[in-house]
Amino acid sequence: MRSDLPTDADVVVVGTGAFGLAVAVHLARFGAGRVLALDRFDVGSQTSPRAAGLFKSVQADYLRTRLAALAIEIVRGFEKDMGVPVPYVQSGSLMIARTERHARVIETEIAAARRWGVTCDSITTAELVRLAPYVEPSTVQYAAYVPEDIYIEEPSALLEAYRLAAERLGARVLGHVPATNIVLGDGGVEAVETPYGRVRTETVIDAAGAWVRAVGRMAGIDLAVMPMRHQLAITEALPGTAATHPITRIVDAAVYVRPCRGGLMWGGFESNPLALEPTNHGEQFRIDNLPLDFSVLEGFAQAVRDVVPALADAPIQEHRGGLFTMTPDGRFVAGPVPNVRGLWVLSGCNGSGFSFSPALGRLVAEWIVTGEPSYDLTPFAPSRWPTVWDEATLVQAAIYQYTHYYEPLEAVDGEQS
Ligand SMILES: Cc1cc2nc3c(=O)[nH]c(=O)nc-3n(C[C@H](O)[C@H](O)[C@H](O)COP(=O)(O)OP(=O)(O)OC[C@H]3O[C@@H](n4cnc5c(N)ncnc54)[C@H](O)[C@@H]3O)c2cc1C
């Protein structure tokens, strides 16, 4: 038994990663009543603390551009609003292309982003070298700079801030309490079952990350989400690298680099990513058990050797990875499940859940408490696909989205929104 597990809650959040904790904070802040966030493992211990911590203002459509701006605004104001500091670095970011085609891709993206309110522009080679001394410019055909972009050095710092803020606002956040079933009655959700007893509630948010489908199935729904491995590495400290140097995205290689712990962090989007459904790997599978493959990162380091030479032979201090939750259209899954009253989903990160969690957590909480979010999140509706996906087609669509992370199809979609 656990004496800290209540028998009743107004909202139960299943999962305490970036999404679950963010929504718990805002639910508590908006006065949702008794908010309980549960995790089957340690709080905030799975994919979220393994993220790169990058925030990206330039997005593929109007809605995500506005949400990215809102997310940065929430992080900047977190200490003032919640009384808990969130350390972040406003480093700005660079988008770099070494081919003519990718130069056009960036140009198109930043032209749309500017119309949607993002400050960004192309820069000269001299500016590039001044901003990012770790970049060697000789093969760079085009570079753009986005001064508002930020990163969070240690992603666990944001998770810890969320947890502290949620608890101070009265939410209960418990690790090692798995949701084992969602009890439904005629009127919708009635309770969440755990090994330590049943919690009566009429509202459940499935924010279970790579296990989001497994939790959805507890309520009889199948979500079109496919977990997919993503990895990064961090070098030992390198002379001349400063925390304030910008994030660099080398678009033609689908590789990102940022300053980290005195060295550089890098990761990228390989063309043959590993789809991995955790429930096929046993009840006790956790992200610690995810098989990692450093050759993927060596490949990226080689691919960008002419632009960031330091990566090629630097000693490594950390190699880590986790599971993205990919969807067939590359968009989040956020909102109510239409046929199960009281069930909500917050997932489908597509590689950006850490940085969008401040905004989506707030909007979903607002939606639950007031009946409407302040941005129309219809494009992220859990029910947007008319049919259930067969597994092979879902994997194929998810891989397509993963491999096109830096070249989304709909670069100017949503302009009229
Ligand atoms: C290497 C890497 C780099 C990344 N870089 C970035 C980046 O720079 N910027 C960015 O925005 N995003 C980045 N991401 C993506 C980001 O990490 C994810 O989008 C985000 O962490 C998703 O959070 P989550 O809450 O959905 O998942 P998680 O953090 O995995 O949380 C889900 C939680 O649900 C719990 N859970 C599961 N089942 C149950 C159950 N039955 N009962 C109770 N609890 C349950 C799990 O234990 C887990 O703690 C990166 C990811 C990786 C792997």
Side-chain angles (χ1 to χ4, degrees):
M1 288 311 293
R2 283 187 60 145
S3 55
D4 51 356
L5 185 71
T7 53
D8 293 86
D10 291 293
V11 186
V12 175
V13 183
V14 180
T16 64
F19 277 144
L21 288 172
V23 75
V25 170
H26 292 290
L27 282 166
R29 187 157 185 245
F30 291 143
R34 296 155 304 171
V35 176
L36 173 66
L38 301 177
D39 206 289
R40 61 189 303 180
F41 302 124
D42 281 338
V43 171
S45 64
Q46 297 303 298
T47 288
S48 297
R50 292 162 168 89
L54 310 177
F55 287 61
K56 184 170 185 284
S57 302
V58 174
Q59 292 288 331
D61 56 42
Y62 175 78
L63 174 59
R64 278 176 284 185
T65 305
R66 300 313 307 147
L67 297 183
L70 176 63
I72 292 176
E73 187 187 311
I74 292 172
V75 169
R76 286 168 176 280
F78 202 86
E79 182 165 10
K80 184 167 73 61
D81 295 339
M82 310 286 186
V84 181
V86 173
Y88 67 90
V89 183
Q90 188 181 339
S91 60
S93 75
L94 297 165
M95 297 166 82
I96 281 180
R98 293 171 299 178
T99 70
E100 193 54 37
R101 183 172 80 76
H102 290 94
R104 300 292 79 80
V105 169
I106 300 177
E107 253 181 358
T108 308
E109 270 204 296
I110 66 165
R114 267 203 303 269
R115 289 197 295 280
W116 299 332
V118 180
T119 304
C120 52
D121 218 334
S122 61
I123 54 169
T124 62
T125 304
E127 286 170 315
L128 171 61
V129 171
R130 183 182 59 78
L131 286 165
Y134 68 83
V135 169
E136 154 55 48
S138 58
T139 56
V140 173
Q141 292 214 9
Y142 187 86
Y145 180 53
V146 190
E148 301 288 307
D149 276 346
I150 64 169
Y151 70 83
I152 291 181
E153 173 82 332
E154 303 296 342
S156 54
L158 178 63
L159 304 174
E160 196 44 37
Y162 281 153
R163 181 226 272 258
L164 255 172
E167 288 179 340
R168 283 189 189 175
L169 290 162
R172 200 170 290 188
V173 182
L174 302 179
H176 301 280
V177 181
T180 51
N181 192 23
I182 296 172
V183 181
L184 304 178
D186 290 344
V189 170
E190 290 189 346
V192 171
E193 284 178 349
T194 80
Y196 309 104
R198 181 180 274 216
V199 183
R200 277 189 299 272
T201 186
E202 290 183 0
T203 308
V204 170
I205 305 171
D206 177 359
W211 295 265
V212 69
R213 284 177 92 186
V215 172
R217 283 192 196 109
M218 293 175 191
I221 60 156
D222 190 23
L223 294 163
V225 174
M226 180 48 61
M228 201 152 284
R229 184 182 67 187
H230 184 75
Q231 311 174 78
L232 60 78
I234 303 168
T235 71
E236 294 288 357
L238 298 167
T241 309
T244 49
H245 291 161
I247 301 156
T248 298
R249 297 184 172 91
I250 301 134
V251 172
D252 52 87
V255 169
Y256 57 83
V257 185
R258 76 150 161 98
C260 187
R261 302 176 193 161
L264 292 172
M265 169 194 283
W266 86 100
F269 296 83
E270 65 272 38
S271 57
N272 55 345
L274 178 70
L276 189 146
E277 171 54 54
T279 52
N280 293 339
H281 294 263
E283 190 54 27
Q284 280 315 307
F285 176 89
R286 59 186 72 197
I287 299 298
D288 275 341
N289 306 125
L290 182 68
L292 297 182
D293 178 2
F294 192 67
S295 71
V296 173
L297 292 156
E298 281 174 329
F300 289 136
Q302 286 305 321
V304 300
R305 195 185 184 115
D306 51 339
V307 199
V308 191
L311 298 181
D313 46 17
I316 302 303
Q317 59 166 296
E318 188 177 349
H319 170 206
R320 67 186 188 223
L323 289 170
F324 284 1
T325 45
M326 302 302 299
T327 60
D329 58 5
R331 291 184 168 136
F332 301 104
V333 180
V337 175
N339 299 323
V340 187
R341 202 162 65 76
L343 182 65
W344 295 70
V345 182
L346 183 47
S347 185
C349 80
N350 288 282
S352 303
F354 183 80
S355 55
F356 278 76
S357 65
L360 287 173
R362 179 192 283 186
L363 293 172
V364 169
E366 198 178 70
W367 199 346
I368 289 172
V369 174
T370 68
E372 207 179 357
S374 49
Y375 285 82
D376 177 8
L377 299 184
T378 308
F380 307 155
S383 57
R384 63 189 181 271
W385 295 283
T387 52
V388 172
W389 289 73
D390 75 81
E391 217 59 14
T393 316
L394 179 59
V395 170
Q396 209 178 14
I399 289 176
Y400 180 89
Q401 295 300 336
Y402 182 96
T403 56
H404 288 77
Y405 187 82
Y406 281 162
E407 281 189 75
L409 264 186
E410 358 161 45
V412 292
D413 167 64
E415 184 130 26
Q416 68 284 13
S417 316

